[in-house]
Every structure is written in C-alpha cells, then in structure tokens.
Amino acid sequence: DSTTVQTEGTVTIGLEEVDVDDNSAKYNEYRDRKDGLLLDLLWFDHFDSSTGNYFEVEANRVGRQDQSIWMRTGRYDGMSLSVDWNETPHLLSNVAMTPYAYRGNGFFESSGNVPITFERLNTVAADAASVRASDLLIADFLSRNLHGTELGTQRNRGNVAFDFGGSRAFDFNLSYTDEQRSGSKVTYGPIGDRPPRTLNIEFAEPVDYRTRDLELKASHGGKSYQLGFTYLISEFENEIDTLTWENIFATPAAGAEYDVWDRAFSAYGRRPLSPDNKFHQATVDFSAGAPLRGRFSAVFSYGTLEQDEKLLPYSYADDILASPNLPRASAQAEMTTKLANLTYTSNPIKSLNLRAFLRYYDLDNDTPESDWTYVTSDTSNLNGTSSYKNRRTNLAFAYDSLNVGAEAQWNLQVWRSTLVGGFEREEIGREYREADTSEDRFTLQWRARPSDTWALKARYLFGDRDGDGYDGTFTQDSYWYTQAQAGTDADNPQFTFSNHPDMRRFDVADRVRNKLDLSATWMPSAAWNFTASYMMRDDDYDSDVAPTQPLAGLPLADAALFTPGDQLGLLAEDRDQITLDGSYAPSDRLTLTAFVTFEQANSEQRSMEFNENNKQNPSSVATAELGPWTRASSQWTADSEDDNRTFGAGMEWAITPERVTLRIDGNWTLGKTDIVYQGFGVTNQNGVPFADNNQYGFRTPPTIRHELMELNAELGFRLWEGGDLIVGYGYEEYDIADWQQEANTPWFESVGSEYLLRDTSRSHQWGNRLVNMGSYLAPGYTGHYGQVSLAIHF
Amino acid sequence: ENLDWATADPALADATFVANDTVCAECHEDYLAAYNKTRHARAFSSGVTGSCESCHGPRSLHVEDPEREAKTWKELGTSVQSAVCLQCHDDGDRMHWAATIHSTSDVSCASCHMVMERGSNRALTIKEDTTQTCYACHGEVRGQMQRTSHHPVREERMSCASCHDLHGSTTPAQLLGNTINETCTTCHAEKRGPFLWEHAPVRENCLNCHEAHGSNHKNLLTKKDSFLCLSCHSYGGHINLPRYNRTSNPYGSGCVNCHVTTHGSNHPSGAKQTR
C-alpha cells in the first residue's frame, strides 16, 4: 500500500560485562567497552506517504564514549535536515607514568629536580662510576616522584546539514561540522644544544583542538549538463598554544655542575603546539554531454591556507641571547592551492570507450623567507651567541603537478571481455627540493566474463619515473652564513654539502615500477561465491649513482676526493599480496564466509656512517671508526620485511527459523617485521665486530610481532513477535613483541626501572638517556566480553 | 537525462511506457512488500517523479506478452545500469561519475546499492554498511585494517567513505579531498599548517611516510621509526645510524624523540624540527 504510514524501529538495551587486564589500553583503543547498562541500538523509521514526510534515527552505544547518533528528517520532494554526532576515543595507555604535574595551559611542573653530577664532555670514560652514580640518582628521583598520567584523546564530532531540496534545476545545501578533540598524546621534551648534550623526557602533550567547517553547496542541472559550486571554510583552533615543561635536571649536586661546558641549559623547555589555521576553498564543478556520445567533466578549485600564530622567542631563556630579535613577530605563513581536473569520456562506437584526462594541482607558498639566528632547544652559549650554522632561512617549499593521460577500452566478443590500454604522464615541479620528476605510466588491462559464473581481471602497469638533475645542494639556500663566519670549521653544510651526495631521497628519485593485479571471481551457483586476487608491486629506485667530487673547485686539500658512488637511501621495495574471499549459503538458514589475506612487503635501504665534522677534510679521519664520507666500508644496509597474515571466518545460522539464530565470526591476524641489518654497526669499517655496548654497535634486531585473535558469538532468541533476547560473547587475545618498546635490549638498558633508559655504552653523554613513560604503553591482553540484550522491535 | 532504452536494449525499441505501477504489481506483488520500505518507493509515492519503468524501461510489450524476452538487469551491463540511475542521480558529486575509476572499471551503481529492498539502514548498500560493501571487492583492505596500527574502521568509528568519495571524485584513488593531504587534514587539521619550517615530503604527500590502510608500525608509519628517517637523511654523525650512543633513537620513538615537530615547526628555533 503506497498511501500508508510506515513506522518501525528497534530498541536494544543490554548489560555489558568486560573482563580484561586493565593495564592494556589496546583493548579499548578506539572503543568504550565497560561494565554496565547500555542502550546498544535505537533505530526509528517513520514515513507518511500522505505528506511525504520522513523521520529516521539511528543511535549506537548511547552514553558511551564511542557513541554515534544520527537523525534525518524532511520530505522526499522537499527539504531535509540531518544531524550526526560521533564520539571516538583513542586510548593510548593506562600505565603511563610521569614526574610532571600538569598546571594547565600547557605548563608542566616537576615536583622536584634531580641533584645529579653530570660530567664534562670528553673527560670521563664510558661506564665511569660517577656517571653510573648520576643515573642512580635519576632513578631514585623517578621512583619517588613518578605517578600515573592519562594518555589518550577523545574526538567528538557533530554535523548539521540542511538540504534545500529544491529541484534538479537548483539545489542548495549547507553543512556545519564542529569537532573537538581533547586529552593527551605522547611527546618529548628535549633540552640541549646537540645530541650529546640533550636532556630528554617523554611525557604527555595536552590536546585541546577544535575544528569548525562550514560548507555551502549549490548545484544547477540543465537538460544535458550539471553545474555545481562549493565553498568550504575550515578553521582549526588549538586552545593550548604553548607547551612548557620543567627541566627535571635543573639542579646540580652540591659541589658539582652539569653545565661545565659553554652551554646554558634552561630551567624550562618551551615550544609552540599546533598553530591555529584557516583553510578556505572554492570549487566549481561542471559536467556536460560532449561529442561522440561523450561526457565532459571539469573541476576547478582555488584554496588558501593561512597561519599567523604569534612566534615564541628563540629560547625560553631569551634574555641571555646576544641577538634575541626575531625577523618577524608572527608566522605569516600562507599557501594557495589551485586545481583543475578535466576528463572526457566517450563511447564513439559500440565496442570502444575512450577516456582522456588532465589533472593539474599547484601549491604555491607565499610564506615570507627570513633569516633566523636560532638557538637549539632552549640552550645557548654562555656568551649569548649561537653557532654560525644556526643561521638558517625558512624555505618556502612549493610544488605543482600535471597529469595527462588517455585510456581506450575495446569490448570484445570473446568471453565478453574488455581490453584496456592506457598511458599517463606525470610531471611534478618543486621549489626547494632535490629534483623535479616526470613519470610515464603504461597500463594494460583485460577483463572478462567467460560465463555467468566466472569474472576475470588482469592488469599490468609499468611506470618509469625520472628524477634526473637530482641536486642535493639546494639546502645551501637554507643557510645564510658566510665562509668567513664558518672559518675553518670542517662541518660546513652550506659550502660543502648537507646530505651525503650519494643519497637519493626516494620520493624524488628515479623509479621503475612494475605492478600486476590478477583477480578471479567464481560464482558456481547462487550459494557459492569465491574471489581470489593477487597483487605484485615492484619498485626499483636505482638512480645510476656514480662517484662524485662534492668539494671540487674548493681550495681544499681534499677537493679531488670522490664519494663511493653507491646509492644511499631506499633502494627497492616490493610487495606481494594474496586475498581469498568466499561465501557459501546452502540455504536461507545458513551462510558461511571466510577470507584470507597474505601480504609481504620488502624494502632495501643503504646508508653509511661518516663524521659530519670532517666534511671538508675527510682524509684526516681515514682510519677512524667515525670516518670519512669517502669510505665505502662504512656503509650499512637494512632489509625490512613486513609479513602480514589475516584469516577470518563467519557463520550465520538460523537454527530454528524465526526463533533461534546464531552468529559466529572470528579473525586471526599476525603481523611481523624483520629487519636484517648488515655492515657498519655490526662491524667497524675493517670488518672487526662491534660489541653490543659499542657506541656504534647494532645488529639485526629481534622480530617485531603483533598477533590478534578475535572470536565473537551471538545467540538470538525470539521471545515474542517483537522481542529478541540476545546473548553475546567476545574473546580477544593480543600479543606484542617490539624490541623498541622493551626496557632492555643489547643496545639500551633500564636503570632502576623501566622509566629511565640508558644506552648500554653507559657513556657520559646525556643524549643517550631517556626518561620515559614506561615500556609497552599498550601491552598485550586477554579480554572476555559478555553482553545480554533485549531487542524490542516495533 | 532520460536513457535511450532502444539503444540499451533493442528489444524495447517498439515498446512504450505503460505508466501505471499497479499493472506491474499485479504480477510482481512478491517484490513489493520489501520494495515499499525503500527510499525509492517512498519518494515515488510522495510526489517525486518515478515509477517501475523509470528503471526497467518501457514495458508495454512485456505487459502484452510477459514471456517476451528482454534483457535482464544483469544483461544490461554496468554502464547501462549506471545510466539508469543517473537519469535522476546525476547531481552533486555524481555529475562526475563517468570520469571516475569505478565507472571505467565496470563498476555500476548496482554493484554497491540494492534498490529493490532495504539491505541497510542507510544508502541502500548491498551490505550492512559502507565499509563492508567496499570489502566485497577490496578484500585486501580488510586484511590491512586488521593490523595493529590502523584507523578506527574496524571499530566502525570511520568508514571507507570517511576518506574516499565513492561517487564522483576525479582523483586517482577517488579521494574526498583534492589531494591526499587535503583528505588527511580533514580530520588531522592540526597538521595542516602552513608552518614556518615546512618538512617538504610531508607537505607533498602524507603517504611518503604513512600507510593509511594499516601498518605494523606505530602511527601508521611505513617503516620502523628511525629506519624511515634514514631512508632520506644522511647528514653525518648521529643522522646516519639506527643506533648511535649520543642519541636515544633505538628506543622511544626513534628520531622523533628529539625531532618532535616532523610535520612542520612554527618555532623560530625550529629549523631542525626539534621545537
């Protein structure tokens, strides 16, 4: 009956019970399962055909921190209003510890300081008793002052959208979104001018973000064309502008100084948090019929990004700086974006489809470039000066990309197949990067339906990206000191080089890509459905690197020396992926599903160790462990293998039709990462093995392993025509092994507790200590979940 | 734009529109109970122009002779199936449907949407929600989303449609934004900047460092902490090794322990992104 009122809905109220190790935040990482009563589902649907009015509500997990509520009302031939509310937790840890007390507005204060005895650089041997005594003082301080801290965020997003619902000829839509994110996340507070003298602590950065988006859309449809206009205003506000943390090492022991070299450590560290910003974007869309039974689509977009936060001083201890004045008081950062996407599709003859496209995107950076004289991490020389190398210019990185391509599809009679051939050229131009790149991509695809039960697809892509003209010396533009100011300092990145000349950054390097996709779907009957797919992608970043003379032309004794000429950086990546997916429904009462995914991703990278303090005179460190940039035997390689396997299965069984149903599903996922490390670090430059506590020692680390097993079962009983009793149970087991989250490995060890980590070299250099919030902030768990619900349908 | 039914199915060339759904209901009543709860049925009964023949074509010959053969919905092919829907739904982002990867890959509206009955509470998707609908073809993504570091898709706090415009994006991966970064900063607006000190690969493409569909490494990184940074950085000294005793990079978060503002710094002392 098309002239009736339709009203129906479901209310599901349940009792939820969770038994899980409270130590693990991973269980509730993105959800809020906890003991108690729960409005699991509210669904209401009302329609009155006499007026055309409708009203729909869907709400899930009401009252919990992972709730969602959606409502829509309106008339099918008229206006509509929708309201959407979503909450998403992101729990990071239940076990994090900190010595800090949060005083609000980004300010962290320690309940005390550590009276430690730092030692002068290069005056004490590693593992000296006095250094270890200092570590024990820190450990003791932590044991007395650590307390728990919350770590995680809550994201609440609300959206209201109004659709004028005019007609196809003219429509208007207005949407407003307000998102707030609050809580805390992991951050670090380094204080100190360089790594050897960096005092670092891991702690919780407060998050109090708000993003508001207003979007207006208008569209007009003609007989054979459509026109649209969209304007988006997005404003991000961070309620906390600045993070300030106390230096817990601020108090030297009586009769000792940790600040014995010419650096003034600050009592506090300070840095800005994510700045407020604005994004405006206007977009015009157009689509129309075109010749040769074709269609033309165009999108033009113009946007601006602005950020003008007031800048902090160079240092928290700004009063001691010789040149404390900033070139400007606020960021004045501004970018503009332009986009033009044009597509023409055509079906000129029955068996041929054509598609041609042009995509252009331009990101222009209007941020003023200024000369800065900064200090590092709130530390400065005692005389208030800073290193000549800290005279840096902010470079206004920008880029534009142009993609042009065409594709032809021939529909063949054989096996109802389609043959597709395509070509695309991509050109990306960049300001202040090593290279512009151009890439030619060729694709060949074959799709077929040889019978009603089979569908086959094969696609091959070959891409050849050219990063010719790769020039790493663009970084010279980011320094503004003179050679005279550098003097005879051999670490002089402006007039020598910054990155090693044999390095090729993978995103702008040459690349040959081969990619193959195969898939087959078999549906022997309405009951069976199988899909198998395979993907192979092989990227080779070989850029024909050859030995170069980076000092050529300079009046230096080592001007004629060559680099080894072995490419550094990411060398190759390959990925293989197999997916099997199937379902079997022998009757209306039973459906079985299963899927399997295997994915293996391998990458090869190479780099080399060299002393940055000898860029101008590498021969002077020819035999040193921390040697010259000319020495190939200081290279190392790391082959990473990410291996992922997922298996899932499910069953839905109406044991007694309309009375008793059983749903079971389960997933098992194993993710592993192996890094095979060879070369310098395993041995020195002469092949002599390094001990694990050597300052450069490293070797193949243990396998990183994540394993997740989930099993869910739900039994439903129809109690009466409109009422179901649902009993659910969920089991989860998560295991994690990650050497970098351990408290003790061959390369670092805990001192007193897991909250103070120290490099096993036990050096006097403070950069190798880290006060942290704990190992395995989200450890493994075993969790049981039970739910008993009553669902009432009306 | 009305579909040329004679071209779509020559068997309908001589047919005319009956324009009376009650005639259809006389034989196809078994479909109607489910169909009447759909948005289409409700819209057509509320003054929106449309009928059975809007989607099934002129059926006068079929009414005359129900055994007379015409193409089934499946036999119409994906492009015609979509053209049927686009007679009414060619507005909004769907105006670019023909330009999308889905369209040129033999995907039709009916690949994802079920019109004749309500299979889901919203959007008429063939599965219970958008994500499960996408997984029907993109099964590999379901496996990736199971990884330890993932967006909250499997927890149903996001869906594929949170990032992908499934109907009318002209970007290669059918993204919601004009670029990958515009898409990511829809939710991660704190990383949008612009910043005083930009990190160029970050500004150009978030995916230079992140795997959006899931990773074995925290924060969806493509590689293990410092090994990722060392793919590009080889300055000398500590910026060359995964372990160097003056820095804490084998523990904590690697290079990020000190270089905390890798997405861009707004500090005048932020050139090295330690502030």
Side-chain angles (χ1 to χ4, degrees), chain A residues 168 307 378 581 697 759 768, chain B residues 90 142 194 243 245 251 275:
Chain A
R168 188 177 168 279
Q307 185 268 114
D378 296 299
D581 207 328
D759 190 283
N768 61 13
Chain B
D90 61 349
R142 174 168 45 197
R243 188 270 181 103
N245 78 332
Y251 38 110
R275 278 287 179 269

Side-chain angles (χ1 to χ4, degrees), chain B residues 6-67:
Chain B
T7 303
D9 183 359
L12 303 179
D14 298 325
T16 58
F17 287 98
V18 178
N20 186 349
D21 283 356
T22 56
V23 175
C24 306
E26 287 173 9
C27 296
H28 299 288
E29 191 176 10
D30 47 339
Y31 288 103
L32 291 181
Y35 174 70
N36 281 338
K37 291 183 178 179
T38 67
R39 289 179 65 81
H40 281 100
R42 291 176 174 185
F44 294 155
S45 68
S46 305
V48 176
T49 303
S51 68
C52 301
E53 288 174 303
S54 300
C55 304
H56 295 283
R59 290 287 162 163
S60 61
L61 299 178
H62 175 66
V63 171
E64 290 169 11
D65 177 9
E67 300 300 318

Side-chain angles (χ1 to χ4, degrees), chain A residues 169-401:
Chain A
F170 181 76
D171 195 16
F172 177 76
N173 183 281
L174 184 65
S175 168
Y176 174 72
T177 304
D178 193 331
E179 179 185 292
Q180 290 184 295
R181 185 146 50 114
S182 58
S184 58
K185 61 181 182 179
V186 176
T187 195
Y188 297 86
I191 297 176
D193 74 324
R194 292 175 61 204
R197 298 182 284 270
T198 297
L199 308 166
N200 205 352
I201 183 166
E202 181 184 47
F203 65 110
E205 175 185 318
V207 172
D208 193 356
Y209 302 155
R210 187 174 187 190
T211 308
R212 285 174 290 190
D213 293 349
L214 180 67
E215 189 176 66
L216 298 95
K217 282 185 175 179
S219 66
H220 166 66
K223 181 172 170 56
S224 61
Y225 69 91
Q226 291 82 38
L227 184 64
F229 175 76
T230 305
Y231 195 86
L232 169 69
I233 303 169
S234 177
E235 296 197 354
F236 169 78
E237 287 179 7
N238 189 349
E239 298 297 325
I240 306 171
D241 294 335
T242 308
L243 184 68
T244 307
W245 66 99
E246 187 171 359
N247 184 355
I248 65 167
F249 304 107
T251 307
E257 293 180 278
Y258 72 87
D259 185 19
V260 291
W261 61 88
D262 63 342
R263 297 293 186 276
F265 276 90
S266 172
Y268 289 88
R270 184 169 62 187
R271 65 180 168 89
L273 296 179
S274 298
D276 299 352
N277 64 66
K278 296 176 184 174
F279 176 49
H280 288 217
Q281 189 175 59
T283 302
V284 174
D285 293 88
F286 176 71
S287 178
L292 299 175
R293 295 201 299 171
R295 186 135 201 104
F296 175 72
S297 267
V299 183
F300 301 98
S301 185
Y302 179 83
T304 60
L305 297 115
E306 294 176 351
Q307 185 268 114
D308 195 24
E309 197 78 47
K310 185 183 175 188
L311 299 179
L312 291 171
Y314 282 122
S315 168
Y316 185 87
D318 201 46
D319 54 335
I320 64 170
L321 297 181
S323 303
N325 296 329
L326 304 178
R328 59 180 188 266
S330 62
Q332 299 178 17
E334 185 175 347
M335 292 178 171
T336 55
T337 62
K338 302 181 204 65
L339 173 130
N341 284 357
L342 309 175
T343 310
Y344 169 69
T345 55
S346 169
N347 180 211
I349 57 175
K350 188 179 177 184
S351 58
L352 178 65
N353 289 285
L354 300 173
R355 175 171 172 264
F357 61 89
L358 179 151
R359 294 194 299 270
Y360 173 75
Y361 182 79
D362 175 68
L363 183 137
D364 198 17
N365 194 337
D366 299 319
T367 306
E369 295 180 351
S370 303
D371 293 339
W372 310 81
T373 309
Y374 72 86
V375 297
T376 307
S377 301
D378 296 299
T379 306
S380 80
N381 290 356
L382 289 176
N383 59 11
T385 62
S386 59
S387 164
Y388 74 92
K389 274 179 287 193
N390 290 0
R391 296 183 176 196
R392 298 290 292 268
T393 304
N394 63 300
L395 301 180
F397 167 73
Y399 77 97
D400 61 76
S401 64

Side-chain angles (χ1 to χ4, degrees), chain A residues 6 8 26 30 43 45 47 52 56 66-67 70 72 76-77 86-87 155 157 168 181 188 190 195 200 226 234 236 270 272 277 281 285 287 297-299 301 307 311-314 328 341 345 355 359 361 374-375 377-378 394 409 430 433 447 491 493 499-500 505-506 569 575 577 579 581 599 603 605 608-610 612 615 626 636 642 644 669 672-673 692 694-695 697 706 710 734 738 740 747-748 759-761 763 765 767-768, chain B residues 1 7 36-37 39 42-43 45-46 48 74 90 95-96 98-99 101 104-106 118 121-122 139-140 142-144 146-148 150 152 154-155 157 170 172 178-179 182 186-190 192-198 200-201 203-204 208 211 216-217 222-225 227 230-238 240-254 256-258 260-261 266-269 271-272 274-275:
Chain A
Q6 297 175 356
E8 57 185 324
K26 190 70 177 170
Y30 290 120
W43 175 62
D45 180 26
F47 169 65
E56 299 168 85
D66 57 353
Q67 68 177 334
W70 171 79
R72 180 169 60 186
Y76 281 111
D77 62 345
N86 276 287
E87 297 189 10
R155 185 192 294 260
R157 171 182 287 203
R168 188 177 168 279
R181 185 146 50 114
Y188 297 86
N200 205 352
Q226 291 82 38
S234 177
F236 169 78
R270 184 169 62 187
N277 64 66
Q281 189 175 59
D285 293 88
S287 178
S297 267
V299 183
S301 185
Q307 185 268 114
L311 299 179
L312 291 171
Y314 282 122
R328 59 180 188 266
N341 284 357
T345 55
R355 175 171 172 264
R359 294 194 299 270
Y361 182 79
Y374 72 86
V375 297
S377 301
D378 296 299
N394 63 300
Q409 298 193 15
R430 301 174 178 89
R433 283 304 307 273
R447 300 191 297 261
D491 176 14
N499 249 2
H500 193 286
R505 291 181 166 168
F506 66 89
R575 187 176 294 256
Q577 195 176 70
T579 303
D581 207 328
E599 184 170 329
S603 70
Q605 68 185 111
M608 67 179 286
E609 185 50 60
F610 63 94
E612 79 273 31
K615 284 183 174 168
L626 186 55
W636 58 266
D642 277 301
N644 290 281
T669 304
K672 293 194 300 179
T673 300
D692 283 332
N694 182 281
Q695 60 180 330
H706 303 272
E710 300 169 295
Y734 174 67
D738 180 353
Q740 198 159 328
W747 312 289
F748 56 91
D759 190 283
T760 54
S761 66
S763 163
Q765 301 176 100
N768 61 13
Chain B
E1 198 171 5
T7 303
N36 281 338
K37 291 183 178 179
R39 289 179 65 81
R42 291 176 174 185
S45 68
S46 305
V48 176
K74 198 172 176 181
D90 61 349
M95 75 170 74
H96 301 302
I101 302 298
T104 54
S105 301
D106 265 354
R118 189 163 63 189
N121 285 344
R122 294 189 226 177
E140 76 285 359
R142 174 168 45 197
Q144 291 165 341
Q146 285 294 116
R147 293 177 188 170
T148 187
H150 61 281
R154 68 180 195 235
E155 291 85 356
R157 310 319 303 147
T170 53
N178 284 339
T179 63
E182 277 187 22
T186 302
C187 293
H188 301 284
E190 78 278 9
R192 190 163 55 193
F195 297 98
L196 188 62
W197 304 95
E198 290 281 324
R203 174 58 61 186
E204 188 171 326
N208 278 329
E211 290 264 17
N216 289 340
H217 310 291
T222 55
K223 278 193 171 49
K224 183 70 174 166
D225 292 319
F227 288 94
L230 292 168
S231 299
C232 288
H233 294 281
S234 176
Y235 181 90
H238 78 281
N240 265 345
L241 285 175
R243 188 270 181 103
Y244 188 99
N245 78 332
R246 300 173 194 182
T247 60
S248 55
N249 49 335
Y251 38 110
S253 296
V256 175
N257 293 350
C258 293
V260 281
T261 54
N266 215 43
H267 194 292
S269 293
K272 295 180 182 175
T274 54
R275 278 287 179 269

